[in-house]
Amino acid sequence: MRDIAIGFVTGRKSFRNVLKTYACHWRGLIREHPVGIHLIVAYDLEYNHTSVDDYVNLQDEIRDTFRSVSFIGPESVRGMCEDLCGGGVLEEREARQLFGRGYAGKRNVVLYEAIRRGMDALLFLDDDEYPLAVTSRDGLAYWCGQDVFREHVKALGTFDVTNGYHCGYVSPIPHMGFTDDFTEDDFRVFADAVSNDILNWDGMSAVMRNGGVTYADDGALAEPRVTALERGRTDGLPISGSNLGIRLTDRTRTVPFFNPSGARGRGRLLCGGVG
């Protein structure tokens, strides 16, 4: 693969700090391998009342890491929709569904831009997830840097979709004590009400017992584990919208994101299986 797009959907000022952490590693990687990395960012100014400069004002050393850098705001999305509708590719209703509000719409914007620019693959990363994993040893927390790139690129030579572990730790999940006025069963009811495909009561209670931290699997850190799944199967694993790779060399096998009715709007699911 020659050209890999890195996609971010963001509404946080911390985005540039996360990107800087990744870029420090990628500079060494691209010196060793003949691969071009292209940055595509779809930003949301309303989420945290941010400004365009919170995203586009990158340091030269970070910008120079990439062969190309694209920032996509509301005006760009409107132009994208007008071009597709004016050319008869989409109807206006279809464009609103595909590139509408929410995470799924923003991810589709990045996905379409990567396809339009002829990328071989696209890797989505989260704007609040640093490439670090934490383990617990002798009561101390140890942080280990993670590649979050190399294995995706290798696997995307064969597979349509790749999905890695989350980095950092699941947050915010409190470490809290229960009383007669607020029992564990009370909190369980709340947790069940806000649960989703990734976070549920069993997972939350386990994290709370660890003081609010999800510790990484030492075995997975010591030796990469790559598991191939049959189409339509996840073996009980949630397919998240970040640390997610999509091969783009066969466009007939590329499918859009969508938000299921009543979902939290994260756009975690793809129309289709993992193959």
Side-chain angles (χ1 to χ4, degrees):
M1 288 191 174
R2 300 185 307 275
D3 293 288
I4 311 296
I6 304 294
F8 284 93
V9 173
T10 182
R12 295 183 172 92
K13 290 185 177 182
S14 59
F15 155 74
R16 287 185 297 172
N17 293 331
V18 174
L19 180 64
K20 181 178 180 179
T21 305
Y22 277 108
C24 288
H25 171 71
W26 290 334
R27 281 197 291 272
L29 182 68
I30 59 180
R31 285 195 294 266
E32 301 171 11
H33 302 279
V35 60
I37 304 178
H38 304 256
L39 178 66
I40 303 176
V41 181
Y43 59 82
D44 183 348
L45 302 180
E46 296 180 2
Y47 179 70
N48 268 342
H49 305 291
T50 50
S51 69
V52 175
D53 285 343
D54 290 323
Y55 307 105
V56 305
N57 190 19
L58 300 179
Q59 295 175 345
D60 289 342
E61 62 176 350
I62 296 177
R63 190 177 288 271
D64 291 344
T65 302
F66 305 97
R67 286 191 180 174
S68 67
V69 175
S70 300
F71 289 95
I72 306 173
E75 289 296 328
S76 299
V77 175
R78 279 192 286 271
M80 185 182 296
C81 292
E82 290 172 0
D83 289 342
L84 290 170
C85 293
V89 178
L90 294 176
E91 296 181 1
E92 186 176 340
R93 174 184 58 84
E94 294 172 326
R96 286 198 305 268
Q97 290 178 332
L98 194 62
F99 303 124
R101 297 174 63 87
Y103 275 83
K106 291 289 193 298
R107 291 190 190 281
N108 284 334
V109 166
V110 174
L111 178 60
Y112 173 73
E113 181 67 8
I115 292 173
R116 187 186 71 81
R117 299 185 58 198
M119 297 292 107
D120 296 311
L122 167 62
L123 175 59
F124 275 108
L125 298 173
D126 252 344
D127 65 345
D128 61 349
E129 188 172 299
Y130 287 86
L132 298 164
V134 59
T135 58
S136 178
R137 300 172 194 167
D138 301 322
L140 298 175
Y142 290 86
W143 291 89
C144 177
Q146 299 299 293
D147 193 324
V148 197
F149 186 85
R150 203 182 310 262
E151 293 299 324
H152 279 287
V153 174
K154 287 167 55 179
L156 285 168
T158 303
F159 298 99
D160 296 323
V161 178
T162 57
N163 193 215
Y165 294 102
H166 76 265
C167 290
Y169 61 89
V170 176
S171 176
I173 296 177
H175 176 60
M176 58 190 299
F178 298 104
T179 66
D180 292 339
D181 294 326
F182 187 72
T183 67
E184 184 172 343
D185 285 338
D186 293 330
F187 192 68
R188 183 198 300 266
V189 172
F190 168 76
D192 287 340
V194 300
S195 64
N196 55 49
D197 55 332
I198 288 183
L199 195 61
N200 53 43
W201 170 248
D202 290 338
M204 289 180 69
S205 58
V207 173
M208 290 168 65
R209 288 193 295 271
N210 284 333
V213 178
T214 302
Y215 291 108
D217 180 350
D218 282 315
L221 294 179
E223 183 177 355
R225 299 176 183 175
V226 179
T227 303
L229 302 179
E230 296 178 6
R231 177 171 292 275
R233 287 182 53 191
T234 65
D235 286 5
L237 299 173
I239 304 301
S240 62
S242 66
N243 207 346
L244 177 74
I246 304 172
R247 182 170 59 169
L248 302 177
T249 50
D250 183 355
R251 306 297 161 73
T252 64
R253 297 175 66 83
T254 303
V255 292
F257 291 83
F258 74 104
N259 285 331
S261 178
R264 296 173 60 239
R266 295 283 295 179
R268 294 186 182 279
L269 303 178
L270 285 166
C271 298
V274 179

